[in-house]
Amino acid sequence: MKLHEHQSKELLKKYGLPIPEGYAAFNIKEAKEAAQALGGYPLVVKAQIHCGARGKAGGVKIVKSDEELEIFSESILGKVLKTVQCPSGKLVSRLLIEKATPIEKEFYLSITLDRSNSKILVMASKEGGMEIEELSKEKPDAIIKEYVDPALGIMPYQARKLSFELGLNPSLFGKIVTKLYQAYMDLDASLVEINPLVLTKDGNIVLLDAKIEIDDNAAFRHKDIEELEDITQIDPLEVEAKKYGLNYIKLDGNIGCMVNGAGLAMTTMDIIKLAGGAPANFLDVGGGASVEQISNAFRILTSDENVKAVFINIFGGILRCDRLAQGLIEAAKIVNVKIPVVVRLEGTNVEEGRKLLKESGLNFESALDMWDGAQKAIKLAQ
Amino acid sequence: MSILVNKDTKVVVQGITGKEGSFHAIQCKNYGTQVVAGVTPGKEGIDVDGIPVFNTVENAVKNTKANCSLIFVPPPFAADAIVEAADAGIELIICITEGIPVKDMIPVKYYLKKNYPNTKLIGPNCPGAITPDEAKVGIMPGHIFKKGNVGIVSRSGTLTYEAAFQLSNLGIGQSSAIGIGGDPVHGLSHKDVIALFNEDEETKAILMIGEIGGTSEEEAAEYIASNVKKPVFAYIAGITAPPGKRMGHAGAIISGGKGTADSKMKALKEAGVTVIENPAFIGKVIADAIS
């Protein structure tokens, strides 16, 4: 789960980390109140979206008066901001109004998991402001890495080492690294990224931006953080799917996919592409695939206007094909599906399952295998 | 021979009185697996379809000589269950549980590595391990597997079934099939399982099923290039997955430009692996090549 910059900063403030004074604002009135509370201009106004590269896209502005604040807020609130990282854009429903920080130099600092060795990795660089992906491609030597021993946590010498390499005061920066690691662990984060961290003109260090992502598997012990989720940043169909325990991700194609199991769901998308089509989504209905789940899946798939045909690819294992077929038939009756549906059913009791589908009176096209199914779905979508 | 599980494997099921635990314990037993014990704290003395239940793994091991644990304990308690199994002397721990926080798994992984270097962990968030006609220690449908000589290692459950089914239908059996799971922090890797298949006499060919995210497939490729003489086949799922989106499995995400299907397929091809592009023909490609 992704958090907004202002939410991340509020959480990090509790650890005594140096964050610029600022307030979130959902409308112009709140923006003005924030300006007043901050005691005057210049101020920085930052659009809050779950996406990077906001500055270049015009989502961040320094304002010097009430009038400038109002004009900029008016121009961006409620609009969709497109950045190079999110070409389709994200809705700006809130702003962060902050005191401007006089910047001497920018740095990069992050904490994440390195999956290749299952260790927590602290990364820092003198090249602040650049995206880490670009940096790792263009100047890999500019990234300093420290691995954290799981039993010890980050050690003071590691934080000192990073300070010396970056040329920052070890007593100031060392504390920041230690506290940030503490926050990463406490929050069950999967990413904490400070880009940039800045050295100010008066010699202080400030976390100018902050991005936190929380491990979804740990949500059960962070109910307070779960409530911070901003669903305006997620596709509405994905939000809807989550309610029914469906794992759905919207894509740009026209073949809706309904599959049991994450690996097979990815494979189904791939085989549609291989056959010359374009998948409209990733959808894993899980191992249970109840009538309720299947009917909700049908509803969600077909409410995407781009979808011109549905390809159902089910491998019946423990859950038998005849039960799955019954589920499909009942669900199709509830939802009244109007577009062509291709079903590839395989596995346990497949003959009974196919027979049920054939006798159901539903106009489902049946496929011999995945390849046949993908080809049929593409043809029917034309 | 085969790898990891066989007819002599004695299984204790942790979380046996739960819905999933009891269902699958019975399924495994019906397949012919020696399911000798179950563990649910506070329920010692009862039985599940004739399988005696104990309070602790230690008690289960003492009374039944169990040497393999199959875990269905819910996510908040699963890390504890893995450590309990290891401390009780279990040397093969298979954790089915999906949704364990990464923060819980990191210390467990290092605890096992440091204190029990011979203990093997499979999973979490995996379908388990099967040696056809001998033992099924997991949640896979047993009847789609057939005894034979192809070793399968996979991150994904349904894709393992799909591949095994295609092979079995063409008359090609499997030595063992191991699902290593889809979580970012897990036990045995592709490379570890391939090394076991490489040493196993019964395994004549290896099928590796990977997916986007992480670098497990690339590491396996490196190992294969310098160590494996048996024919290796691979399929990688997720060519169409967009970066930054989690595709069901917590591990299946392309981040920082790493972990794409293309980079994995390239590494495998360079290692001499036959990369299967069309997942509908996994069985056919292998059948054509080895028979």
Side-chain angles (χ1 to χ4, degrees):
Chain A
M1 175 190 152
K2 290 179 179 172
L3 295 179
H4 279 301
E5 176 192 5
H6 77 93
Q7 295 167 330
S8 304
K9 283 179 166 173
E10 276 157 32
L11 288 166
L12 295 177
K13 226 183 249 176
K14 292 178 190 156
Y15 288 83
L17 283 157
I19 307 276
E21 200 184 341
Y23 300 96
F26 287 79
N27 51 50
I28 290 166
K29 184 170 162 276
E30 286 179 8
K32 281 183 178 167
E33 283 167 5
Q36 208 152 37
L38 291 167
Y41 294 89
L43 295 172
V44 183
V45 184
K46 304 173 90 174
Q48 300 293 288
I49 54 169
H50 286 182
C51 193
R54 291 169 299 171
K56 283 176 205 148
V60 179
K61 193 171 170 60
I62 294 175
V63 295
K64 298 193 180 82
S65 64
D66 273 351
E67 199 193 353
E68 281 185 25
L69 172 69
E70 196 170 331
I71 291 170
F72 180 66
S73 304
E74 181 90 58
S75 76
I76 198 156
L77 271 173
K79 304 277 160 43
V80 171
L81 183 63
K82 293 178 183 174
T83 83
V84 286
Q85 286 181 30
C86 301
S88 53
K90 295 276 184 192
L91 177 71
V92 181
S93 61
R94 54 182 96 181
L95 303 169
L96 173 61
I97 320 282
E98 267 184 1
K99 268 193 174 163
T101 305
I103 300 168
E104 176 71 33
K105 192 168 169 22
E106 299 188 345
F107 299 86
Y108 174 91
L109 176 64
S110 74
I111 308 179
T112 187
L113 170 78
D114 184 338
R115 287 168 39 179
S116 65
N117 60 7
S118 303
K119 280 188 175 171
I120 308 269
L121 171 63
V122 181
M123 283 193 282
S125 174
K126 283 183 189 173
E127 308 280 337
M130 248 176 113
E131 291 301 324
I132 193 72
E133 283 99 52
E134 285 170 49
L135 198 57
S136 62
K137 263 186 227 150
E138 288 166 28
K139 298 183 186 173
D141 296 340
I143 304 171
I144 314 158
K145 294 179 176 179
E146 280 296 318
Y147 283 100
V148 182
D149 184 278
L152 294 172
I154 186 120
M155 296 305 282
Y157 91 86
Q158 293 181 298
R160 282 200 302 274
K161 200 172 140 192
L162 288 171
S163 313
F164 292 128
E165 299 237 16
L166 296 178
L168 287 167
N169 178 340
S171 65
L172 272 182
F173 184 69
K175 266 185 214 142
I176 289 173
V177 173
T178 312
K179 284 174 181 170
L180 206 62
Y181 174 75
Q182 195 55 50
Y184 180 93
M185 296 307 285
D186 288 353
L187 298 169
D188 268 296
S190 51
L191 173 71
V192 172
E193 186 177 62
I194 311 302
N195 191 21
L197 171 137
V198 303
L199 178 66
T200 64
K201 292 222 185 281
D202 52 5
N204 284 314
I205 299 174
V206 171
L207 279 52
L208 204 59
D209 196 356
K211 185 202 258 180
I212 296 180
E213 289 179 25
I214 307 290
D215 177 1
D216 292 325
N217 284 351
F220 67 87
R221 53 189 176 210
H222 299 283
K223 293 289 172 208
D224 49 334
I225 296 175
E226 232 183 336
E227 285 170 15
L228 298 177
E229 178 153 52
D230 178 6
I231 57 165
T232 67
Q233 301 296 303
I234 310 165
D235 188 282
L237 289 178
E238 291 178 24
V239 177
E240 177 79 3
K242 212 173 155 185
K243 274 192 227 160
Y244 304 104
L246 299 167
N247 198 330
Y248 171 90
I249 292 165
K250 194 177 172 324
L251 301 167
D252 299 327
N254 63 353
I255 312 283
C257 309
M258 193 193 303
V259 191
N260 63 335
L264 194 59
M266 256 191 282
T267 295
T268 306
M269 289 161 40
D270 292 349
I271 206 164
I272 288 170
K273 193 186 176 198
L274 211 58
N281 64 283
F282 167 94
L283 174 61
D284 173 11
V285 293
S290 63
V291 173
E292 198 203 351
Q293 273 189 315
I294 297 174
S295 54
N296 281 309
F298 261 131
R299 203 166 43 73
I300 288 162
L301 279 184
T302 50
S303 60
D304 174 353
E305 286 171 5
N306 294 330
V307 173
K308 301 292 178 233
V310 175
F311 179 23
I312 300 175
N313 185 11
I314 302 262
F315 191 94
I318 299 281
L319 190 66
R320 304 181 322 252
C321 288
D322 50 336
R323 290 233 355 241
L324 282 163
Q326 277 165 0
L328 280 177
I329 294 160
E330 280 177 55
K333 279 177 186 156
I334 296 169
V335 182
N336 185 21
V337 183
K338 292 191 184 77
I339 53 176
V341 176
V342 178
V343 184
R344 181 262 179 164
L345 204 56
E346 198 53 88
T348 317
N349 287 9
V350 67
E351 294 308 326
E352 291 93 319
R354 286 184 185 151
K355 195 164 161 242
L356 280 169
L357 282 179
K358 208 173 170 185
E359 290 166 358
S360 69
L362 288 166
N363 196 14
F364 284 2
E365 184 88 20
S366 99
L368 296 169
D369 57 31
M370 268 196 268
W371 187 232
D372 182 44
Q375 288 173 320
K376 278 185 174 148
I378 291 165
K379 207 172 161 200
L380 288 167
Q382 281 162 358
Chain B
M1 284 304 291
S2 52
I3 67 164
L4 296 166
V5 297
N6 57 40
K7 59 183 188 322
D8 298 321
T9 304
K10 291 189 167 71
V11 180
V12 50
V13 176
Q14 289 176 259
I16 195 169
T17 52
K19 194 178 151 216
E20 295 278 307
S22 59
F23 176 77
H24 287 292
I26 294 166
Q27 294 271 323
C28 289
K29 191 179 146 205
N30 292 345
Y31 187 79
T33 313
Q34 291 195 55
V35 182
V36 296
V39 170
T40 296
K43 298 212 170 151
E44 186 155 311
I46 66 163
D47 72 282
V48 171
D49 198 40
I51 306 163
V53 177
F54 298 90
N55 280 336
T56 62
V57 180
E58 195 183 355
N59 266 357
V61 170
K62 224 182 265 173
N63 286 282
T64 65
K65 300 208 162 49
N67 58 7
C68 170
S69 168
L70 179 61
I71 299 176
F72 290 97
V73 170
F77 319 107
D80 179 49
I82 295 171
V83 175
E84 183 183 356
D87 281 347
I90 298 281
E91 290 203 331
L92 178 61
I93 303 166
I94 299 176
C95 185
I96 306 297
T97 309
E98 179 182 354
I100 307 178
V102 166
K103 193 172 86 179
D104 295 5
M105 275 312 295
I106 295 173
V108 168
K109 179 159 179 169
Y110 283 91
Y111 177 80
L112 296 187
K113 201 172 163 185
K114 186 163 169 270
N115 298 289
Y116 306 106
N118 295 323
T119 296
K120 292 182 174 70
L121 171 67
I122 300 179
N125 190 12
C126 76
I130 184 167
T131 293
D133 293 352
E134 292 200 35
K136 164 177 121 88
V137 189
I139 58 173
M140 61 286 278
H143 64 91
I144 61 167
F145 294 85
K146 176 180 157 70
K147 192 154 193 64
N149 305 103
V150 176
I152 303 179
V153 54
S154 168
R155 272 207 245 173
S156 148
T158 39
L159 274 180
T160 313
Y161 313 160
E162 179 74 44
F165 186 77
Q166 288 182 21
L167 285 167
S168 298
N169 274 352
L170 293 168
I172 297 174
Q174 303 89 43
S175 51
S176 298
I178 315 296
I180 58 172
D183 275 6
V185 176
H186 57 262
L188 293 190
S189 64
H190 276 119
K191 185 188 89 182
D192 297 331
V193 178
I194 287 169
L196 294 171
F197 278 132
N198 197 33
E199 312 242 300
D200 174 42
E201 280 178 18
E202 201 171 298
T203 302
K204 307 288 186 214
I206 301 166
L207 168 63
M208 172 177 133
I209 300 170
E211 57 189 43
I212 52 156
T215 52
S216 175
E217 291 82 359
E218 285 88 336
E219 284 151 28
E222 215 170 285
Y223 176 84
I224 292 164
S226 45
N227 296 286
V228 183
K229 299 272 184 292
K230 297 177 184 181
V232 183
F233 302 85
Y235 169 71
I236 306 291
I239 291 183
T240 42
K245 290 280 192 181
R246 180 182 145 168
M247 294 287 156
H249 294 155
I253 182 166
I254 298 169
S255 53
K258 275 190 182 168
T260 63
D262 285 340
S263 77
K264 288 170 191 294
M265 293 198 282
K266 188 168 169 275
L268 289 162
K269 277 179 190 162
E270 281 168 8
V273 173
T274 305
V275 175
I276 302 169
E277 312 261 345
N278 190 330
F281 303 132
I282 294 174
K284 194 175 174 301
V285 171
I286 297 177
D288 289 349
I290 65 172
S291 54

